[in-house]
Amino acid sequence: TMADAFCPQPITIPAILSYCGSALDVGLNYSLLAINVVGFGALYRRLSSEASKRTPSLGIVLISFGFVIAFQIVLCLIVECVGISIIWCAIFGWILVEVACGRGIGGAASNDTEPDRQAETSNTSPTCVGYGILSSRCSCIAVVSTILCVDLAAILYYYLTAPAITTVAHICAILMGVILEVVAARGCSIGCSRRRFFN
């Protein structure tokens, strides 16, 4: 969201993170951030429990998350915008890749090796392995689908109520999340395996 007349000049980090005092934007976006973090955490732990060799290490996940946070703040300092929507949109993009590949929700990607498929097949429990409420018995597909629908509804809301640049930023952030997941899942370009990277 672009800074408005209520924001200090020059823009500050507290103003960025607080949406310059907009209670609606704070409530909406921090709720979306919490939902996406919890949903991603549940999905990641399930992927880890399946022992898939394509699951990025926790170190890479945290570095990616830190990069997105830093990118959000630096971008807003440069172009004088406010908010944290780039962060939850990037997580949304990461989750989208996992869903598209069928990982963590009872399916196996087509490029799995036989040991990967056996490991995933052996874990057929419908229980989501996650935090808090997501640690109870539930359908992982339903949980992930709900998160994606909530994210899309929020993006649509800002499409209807905010300048077009906001929607462009949301789409670019989703693409950034997709790219970060693909890079993390494929390993670094010089051929080092993720299992040797931060493990």
Side-chain angles (χ1 to χ4, degrees):
T1 303
M2 299 307 296
D4 56 25
F6 296 99
C7 296
Q9 296 296 328
I11 198 74
T12 62
I13 293 178
I16 292 170
L17 299 179
S18 67
Y19 284 85
C20 294
S22 172
L24 174 61
D25 288 318
V26 167
L28 177 58
N29 284 272
Y30 279 94
S31 295
L32 287 165
L33 178 61
I35 290 170
N36 280 273
V37 168
V38 171
F40 173 78
L43 186 60
Y44 179 79
R45 290 189 62 182
R46 186 169 181 84
L47 285 166
S48 299
S49 71
E50 291 175 354
S52 171
K53 71 178 183 179
R54 281 188 325 278
T55 305
S57 68
L58 182 58
I60 291 179
V61 170
L62 293 177
I63 287 175
S64 299
F65 188 58
F67 168 79
V68 173
I69 294 174
F71 181 87
Q72 169 82 82
I73 293 174
V74 171
L75 177 67
C76 284
L77 288 173
I78 293 173
V79 304
E80 295 192 339
C81 63
V82 297
I84 59 166
S85 60
I86 286 177
I87 302 172
W88 61 259
C89 281
I91 300 173
F92 173 39
W94 190 299
I95 294 174
L96 274 179
V97 177
E98 301 298 344
V99 172
C101 293
R103 298 199 288 267
I105 55 174
S110 58
N111 60 345
D112 281 352
T113 62
E114 186 60 32
D116 289 334
R117 284 193 292 268
Q118 290 176 357
E120 291 174 353
T121 302
S122 64
N123 188 359
T124 56
S125 170
T127 301
C128 282
V129 181
Y131 306 102
I133 189 170
L134 290 182
S135 63
S136 63
R137 190 176 300 275
C138 62
S139 167
C140 283
I141 294 177
V143 171
V144 171
S145 297
T146 300
I147 292 171
L148 299 185
C149 287
V150 170
D151 287 347
L152 289 173
I155 291 171
L156 177 61
Y157 166 77
Y158 279 109
Y159 171 77
L160 296 173
T161 62
I165 189 63
T166 301
T167 300
V168 172
H170 289 160
I171 294 173
C172 290
I174 292 170
L175 292 176
M176 179 168 63
V178 169
I179 292 171
L180 287 172
E181 199 286 338
V182 170
V183 170
R186 298 298 181 266
C188 60
S189 60
I190 61 175
C192 59
S193 70
R194 294 191 326 281
R195 289 304 181 186
R196 295 198 298 271
F197 209 70
F198 293 103
N199 262 351

